Amino acid sequence: MSNEKTYPMTEAGKRKLEEELEYLITEKRKEVVERIKVARSFGDLSENSEYDSAKEDQAFVEGRISTLESMIRNAVIINEDESNNGTVSLGKTVTFVEIVDGKASDFEETYTIVGSAEADPLEGLISNDSPIAKGLIGKEVNATVKIQTPGGEMDVRILTIK
């Protein structure tokens, strides 16, 4: 069991996964079982699309429950206060600007670097495995960093680390 993958995450990220797990077990699982029961009442299962759909949902829900249980069991909590040495690390929120032709853009970007289990770029949470996070980790305020992204190379200047 020591070969299982660990999942770095914040305490809030772990709580969010625990809430999703609780919902899936207490509500969603029951809904899917009820759908299967209703679909069975329609008769012949070989041509019953409602039954097939409900069984597919059941497989998805059970798979997600298993995944969440593993992620929670193997969570490694990031203590944001532990690494307060002025460099970018897991749990830190970083604000930077892109440098284009030697000049800083007016558009600031802010992301919190989290483990892949709780990454949500639309909410400003980027995975420590992402190209941007990999480029920023270990750097300090005012550092100019060259980051390789799928869209090409970009230069950024770190403004703040919190």
Side-chain angles (χ1 to χ4, degrees):
M1 192 157 305
S2 62
N3 292 343
E4 280 196 81
K5 179 180 178 181
T6 59
Y7 298 92
M9 64 183 72
T10 61
E11 190 63 49
K14 184 178 179 189
R15 273 194 308 276
K16 188 174 176 184
L17 294 180
E18 288 169 337
E19 289 168 5
E20 181 183 355
L21 178 61
E22 179 72 16
Y23 165 75
L24 290 174
I25 290 172
T26 61
E27 294 180 39
K28 190 66 176 175
R29 186 184 261 169
K30 290 176 184 172
E31 289 174 17
V32 172
V33 168
E34 185 59 33
R35 283 184 50 214
I36 290 170
K37 194 184 323 180
V38 169
R40 277 189 177 143
S41 70
F42 295 151
D44 184 10
L45 298 182
S46 65
E47 295 181 18
N48 188 330
S49 63
E50 288 87 359
Y51 179 77
D52 292 341
S53 174
K55 289 299 280 185
E56 286 174 14
D57 285 351
Q58 182 182 40
F60 174 80
V61 168
E62 295 304 323
R64 183 67 179 156
I65 287 171
S66 178
T67 299
L68 289 172
E69 288 173 337
S70 175
M71 291 169 80
I72 292 166
R73 181 176 54 253
N74 296 299
V76 176
I77 302 301
I78 303 162
N79 186 343
E80 293 101 353
D81 297 330
E82 266 179 20
S83 57
N84 198 7
N85 61 1
T87 61
V88 179
S89 61
L90 274 161
K92 297 286 182 128
T93 300
V94 184
T95 300
F96 61 86
V97 291
E98 187 171 356
I99 307 297
V100 180
D101 297 326
K103 295 182 182 180
S105 77
D106 293 333
F107 179 69
E108 294 181 1
E109 295 184 57
T110 301
Y111 297 103
T112 300
I113 299 175
V114 296
S116 59
E118 62 182 308
D120 185 353
L122 296 177
E123 294 295 321
L125 304 171
I126 61 171
S127 167
N128 60 312
D129 294 327
S130 71
I132 291 175
K134 284 181 177 179
L136 295 173
I137 289 176
K139 305 301 188 287
E140 299 176 339
V141 170
N142 292 324
T144 300
V145 181
K146 197 171 287 297
I147 299 175
Q148 294 293 333
T149 69
E153 191 174 83
M154 65 189 260
D155 292 326
V156 301
R157 180 171 300 121
I158 299 173
L159 302 176
T160 64
I161 303 169
K162 297 178 186 173

